[in-house]
Amino acid sequence: VWTGVITTAINRCIETTALGRVGSSDASVIISTETIWAAFFSSVLLHDEFGLNDYAGGALIVLACAALSLKPSDLQFALTDANDAVE
């Protein structure tokens, strides 16, 4: 009963309500970090240990979230500065 009602049904209702109030790109970034939060809390509460693959996967998720939150104009500015430095 605890797993079905509290951790699934109530959590899903709260999550759906909260994500309905933010934009779709923000919601995708929030949902993408769910595995990182799960790993963090398992490390803190259950003393889980992680290997190199875990850290690499977490870094890829963070980089993907950062890329999603950037605007195309931000990327163009960064690429323009890099090209100017090379020349």
Side-chain angles (χ1 to χ4, degrees), residues 30-66:
I30 293 167
I31 291 295
S32 297
T33 61
E34 186 176 3
T35 55
I36 293 176
W37 288 110
F40 171 76
F41 284 115
S42 71
S43 171
V44 171
L45 299 175
L46 303 174
H47 305 290
D48 278 351
E49 295 181 10
F50 301 117
L52 182 60
N53 289 341
D54 300 317
Y55 289 114
L60 287 173
I61 292 171
V62 169
L63 287 173
C65 289

